[in-house]
Amino acid sequence: MKSNWIPGTPGKKLIEIEDSPFGKLERQSRAQLNEGRAQPAAERRLELAGFVETFSWGNIRRMLPLQLPAIGEASNWTGRACRSYYQWLEAADEDLSGLDEFDLLLRLFDFSPWRSYFAQRFQSQYGPPPFDPLSLGLGMFLAHYQSWDWERLVQELHSVTRGGEYCRRLGFEQSDLPCVHFSVGLWPNGSGLADEHSG
């Protein structure tokens, strides 16, 4: 079992990005929006001055990772040792066009500011070091996006074909993953996870 020290971080209420190019895009008036209601949104965006240049991969890549605002009141994350450790990983020179929305979000955004929120959801006081609550939370987001239950998620993380990349992006070690057990309240259909044990 590998143990990773995740440093403490102060809670953040709001992240402001200075000189963001997104704020400089032209905004259409209500009348213009009404006139173009029948036009597909993708076509309307292409008509905005500077849209294509602003959202070109070359411009987006130099701003990575994109920062996420905090959700409400964020408590401090107290540093501790965990069995997994989510960290934003720079996107390699890969074809992003074949990625689904969730995989793309993992490459564009750093979810680290949300660790303290998930720490309130997943708490472990006994047994071996717990998993990084952000790894668990993002795992739940992945399962929700794919319409998987937790058991199917664990199977996918063990998968030879794509489990390794999922684990790398979520911060898990493929040799040390959460096991499955059933507990009402942890999962919408009653299937939960035990962060004290590995499967």
Side-chain angles (χ1 to χ4, degrees):
M1 180 192 307
K2 183 178 179 181
S3 179
N4 307 274
W5 178 258
I6 304 180
T9 54
K12 297 180 180 179
K13 293 185 178 180
L14 181 64
I15 295 176
E16 294 183 1
I17 303 175
E18 297 181 2
D19 196 29
S20 170
F22 306 127
K24 299 176 183 177
L25 288 173
E26 174 188 336
R27 296 177 183 272
Q28 290 187 324
S29 66
R30 186 179 296 274
Q32 289 174 316
L33 290 173
N34 284 333
E35 288 177 6
R37 289 180 64 182
Q39 186 180 18
E43 293 181 10
R44 290 203 307 270
R45 287 194 290 268
L46 292 177
E47 293 178 358
L48 291 176
F51 180 89
V52 174
E53 295 80 3
T54 299
F55 286 92
S56 68
W57 177 235
N59 282 334
I60 293 293
R61 186 164 190 170
R62 66 181 175 81
M63 294 185 291
L64 297 182
L66 301 178
Q67 299 298 305
L68 288 166
I71 312 168
E73 292 294 327
S75 59
N76 296 336
W77 162 259
T78 303
R80 68 177 302 179
C82 292
R83 293 160 64 180
S84 63
Y85 185 6
Y86 163 83
Q87 298 177 85
W88 179 79
L89 301 176
E90 185 174 358
D93 291 328
E94 56 185 319
D95 182 10
L96 302 181
S97 62
L99 299 176
D100 62 29
E101 289 89 346
F102 187 85
D103 283 330
L104 188 59
L105 288 175
L106 288 177
R107 286 158 175 79
L108 295 181
F109 292 93
D110 180 5
F111 289 87
S112 298
W114 289 6
R115 179 170 282 112
S116 60
Y117 297 104
F118 287 111
Q120 297 172 12
R121 182 71 171 90
F122 304 110
Q123 299 183 15
S124 176
Q125 304 298 329
Y126 306 102
F131 290 98
D132 179 0
L134 189 48
S135 297
L136 295 175
L138 291 176
M140 289 188 72
F141 281 171
L142 171 60
H144 178 75
Y145 174 78
Q146 297 286 6
S147 299
W148 296 338
D149 59 16
W150 185 261
E151 184 175 7
R152 172 67 186 277
L153 173 65
V154 173
Q155 291 174 357
E156 293 293 337
L157 294 178
H158 280 288
S159 167
V160 176
T161 55
R162 57 180 179 176
E165 182 62 16
Y166 276 144
C167 287
R168 199 169 75 89
R169 292 286 171 184
L170 300 180
F172 287 115
E173 291 287 333
Q174 202 168 15
S175 60
D176 183 23
L177 293 170
C179 72
V180 175
H181 80 120
F182 296 91
S183 173
V184 176
L186 287 179
W187 199 253
N189 63 359
S191 175
L193 58 103
D195 66 347
E196 294 88 2
H197 309 287
S198 64

